[in-house]
PDB file of all heavy atoms in Angstrom:
ATOM      1  N   THR Z 207     -22.231   3.096   1.248  1.00 83.00           N
ATOM      2  CA  THR Z 207     -22.195   2.940   2.738  1.00 83.00           C
ATOM      3  C   THR Z 207     -21.351   4.102   3.316  1.00 83.00           C
ATOM      4  O   THR Z 207     -21.301   4.154   4.535  1.00 83.00           O
ATOM      5  CB  THR Z 207     -21.606   1.614   3.134  1.00 83.00           C
ATOM      6  OG1 THR Z 207     -20.219   1.604   2.814  1.00 83.00           O
ATOM      7  CG2 THR Z 207     -22.290   0.487   2.444  1.00 83.00           C
ATOM      8  N   ALA Z 209     -18.019   4.266   2.832  1.00 88.00           N
ATOM      9  CA  ALA Z 209     -16.643   3.878   2.834  1.00 88.00           C
ATOM     10  C   ALA Z 209     -15.894   4.489   1.684  1.00 88.00           C
ATOM     11  O   ALA Z 209     -16.395   4.630   0.553  1.00 88.00           O
ATOM     12  CB  ALA Z 209     -16.533   2.353   2.735  1.00 88.00           C
ATOM     13  N   VAL Z 212     -10.275   3.932  -3.040  1.00 91.00           N
ATOM     14  CA  VAL Z 212      -9.368   4.518  -3.949  1.00 91.00           C
ATOM     15  C   VAL Z 212      -9.866   4.338  -5.360  1.00 91.00           C
ATOM     16  O   VAL Z 212     -10.039   3.202  -5.773  1.00 91.00           O
ATOM     17  CB  VAL Z 212      -7.902   3.932  -3.845  1.00 91.00           C
ATOM     18  CG1 VAL Z 212      -6.990   4.526  -4.872  1.00 91.00           C
ATOM     19  CG2 VAL Z 212      -7.329   4.173  -2.446  1.00 91.00           C
ATOM     20  N   GLY Z 218       2.277  10.275 -10.942  1.00 80.00           N
ATOM     21  CA  GLY Z 218       3.467  10.930 -10.404  1.00 80.00           C
ATOM     22  C   GLY Z 218       3.251  11.353  -8.939  1.00 80.00           C
ATOM     23  O   GLY Z 218       4.163  11.946  -8.338  1.00 80.00           O
ATOM     24  N   LEU Z 249     -11.463  14.217   6.331  1.00 87.00           N
ATOM     25  CA  LEU Z 249     -10.202  13.521   6.094  1.00 87.00           C
ATOM     26  C   LEU Z 249      -9.132  14.416   5.556  1.00 87.00           C
ATOM     27  O   LEU Z 249      -7.943  14.191   5.835  1.00 87.00           O
ATOM     28  CB  LEU Z 249     -10.488  12.384   5.095  1.00 87.00           C
ATOM     29  CG  LEU Z 249     -11.609  11.376   5.481  1.00 87.00           C
ATOM     30  CD1 LEU Z 249     -11.683  10.296   4.474  1.00 87.00           C
ATOM     31  CD2 LEU Z 249     -11.365  10.811   6.815  1.00 87.00           C
ATOM     32  N   ALA Z 250      -9.488  15.421   4.780  1.00 83.00           N
ATOM     33  CA  ALA Z 250      -8.466  16.291   4.150  1.00 83.00           C
ATOM     34  C   ALA Z 250      -7.473  16.899   5.087  1.00 83.00           C
ATOM     35  O   ALA Z 250      -6.289  16.816   4.914  1.00 83.00           O
ATOM     36  CB  ALA Z 250      -9.194  17.391   3.387  1.00 83.00           C
ATOM     37  N   GLN Z 266      -7.719  -1.372   3.621  1.00 95.00           N
ATOM     38  CA  GLN Z 266      -8.193  -2.753   3.467  1.00 95.00           C
ATOM     39  C   GLN Z 266      -8.212  -3.098   2.006  1.00 95.00           C
ATOM     40  O   GLN Z 266      -8.665  -2.301   1.150  1.00 95.00           O
ATOM     41  CB  GLN Z 266      -9.634  -2.935   3.999  1.00 95.00           C
ATOM     42  CG  GLN Z 266     -10.093  -4.315   3.924  1.00 95.00           C
ATOM     43  CD  GLN Z 266     -11.477  -4.530   4.469  1.00 95.00           C
ATOM     44  OE1 GLN Z 266     -12.258  -3.562   4.551  1.00 95.00           O
ATOM     45  NE2 GLN Z 266     -11.872  -5.723   4.752  1.00 95.00           N
ATOM     46  N   HIS Z 270      -9.263  -9.275   2.573  1.00 90.00           N
ATOM     47  CA  HIS Z 270      -8.261  -9.460   3.632  1.00 90.00           C
ATOM     48  C   HIS Z 270      -8.809  -8.878   4.961  1.00 90.00           C
ATOM     49  O   HIS Z 270      -9.356  -7.778   4.997  1.00 90.00           O
ATOM     50  CB  HIS Z 270      -6.940  -8.801   3.303  1.00 90.00           C
ATOM     51  CG  HIS Z 270      -6.271  -9.411   2.089  1.00 90.00           C
ATOM     52  ND1 HIS Z 270      -5.222 -10.237   2.177  1.00 90.00           N
ATOM     53  CD2 HIS Z 270      -6.521  -9.273   0.756  1.00 90.00           C
ATOM     54  CE1 HIS Z 270      -4.793 -10.645   0.994  1.00 90.00           C
ATOM     55  NE2 HIS Z 270      -5.636 -10.044   0.105  1.00 90.00           N
ATOM     56  N   ALA Z 286      -5.447  27.767   0.575  1.00 50.00           N
ATOM     57  CA  ALA Z 286      -6.590  28.573   0.246  1.00 50.00           C
ATOM     58  C   ALA Z 286      -6.093  29.772  -0.630  1.00 50.00           C
ATOM     59  O   ALA Z 286      -5.023  30.363  -0.375  1.00 50.00           O
ATOM     60  CB  ALA Z 286      -7.244  29.130   1.443  1.00 50.00           C
TER      61      ALA Z 286
END
Side-chain angles (χ1 to χ4, degrees):
T207 70
V212 175
L249 305 183
Q266 181 181 19
H270 296 256

